[in-house]
Amino acid sequence: PAGTTVEVPAGSYEGDLYLDHPVRLVGKGWPVLSGSRSGSVVRVRAPNVTIEGFVIDGREGGDLGKDSAGVHTSAPGTVVRACRIRQALFGVYVREANGVLVEDCEIRGIPGKAPGEKGSGIHVWNTAGFTLRGNVIRDVRDGLYIQSSSGGLVERNRASDLRYGIHYMFSDDNVFADNVFENGAAGAALMYSKRI
């Protein structure tokens, strides 16, 4: 039923996961979700879904033009917590999903790829009221990319080995605080945005 918590035991699970029902998935012992290499490993389409405690492996697959990600959500109230996302073009892609929370995740992109060949660690588009907190991000294009999104809080994240630590485009009324950005072309790129 809606709202059920499903505990997933340790192990390796092949193929992409499509969530169209509001459930809470909790990994025990770091179960591994391995993508099919054709799209996003986890797609969230129902509101108020939580996914936590998983290793999510994109296996260097997918398509930048289709926003392939470790976790791709277009549903409000999504929570992605304490996940280890690796080898995905985008770590977490948030598309028109108000009230999303991404926290305490480790996101490692694809080492060795040029910045133009990979996506951001966390990408937020056309979303309001999001929170990105306590994430550690490496080897991506931009650590945190915020476009056409307002009312967000970005705090206590670490991003390194990338182009920009945080990149705002056309995003007003946002706060970023207590983040660390290292080994990039710029720490923060604040573009076409007001009241940051």
Side-chain angles (χ1 to χ4, degrees), residues 22-86:
V23 295
R24 180 172 178 250
L25 294 184
V26 179
K28 296 297 183 181
W30 296 107
V32 178
L33 305 178
S34 294
S36 66
R37 304 189 79 242
S38 63
S40 296
V41 182
V42 179
R43 289 181 291 159
V44 179
R45 300 297 180 261
N48 304 316
V49 164
T50 294
I51 181 164
E52 64 179 279
F54 289 85
V55 175
I56 299 170
D57 190 346
R59 300 175 60 214
E60 297 189 23
D63 185 338
L64 273 180
K66 295 181 179 177
D67 308 328
S68 296
V71 178
H72 186 291
T73 180
S74 58
T78 302
V79 174
V80 182
R81 179 183 292 120
C83 287
R84 299 171 181 171
I85 302 171
R86 63 192 186 198

Side-chain angles (χ1 to χ4, degrees), residues 12 20 23 33 48 50 61 91 104 121 134 149-150 160 169 178 186 192:
S12 185
D20 62 355
V23 295
L33 305 178
N48 304 316
T50 294
D104 298 330
S149 298
S150 62
S160 62
M169 293 285 289
D178 296 326
Y192 311 109

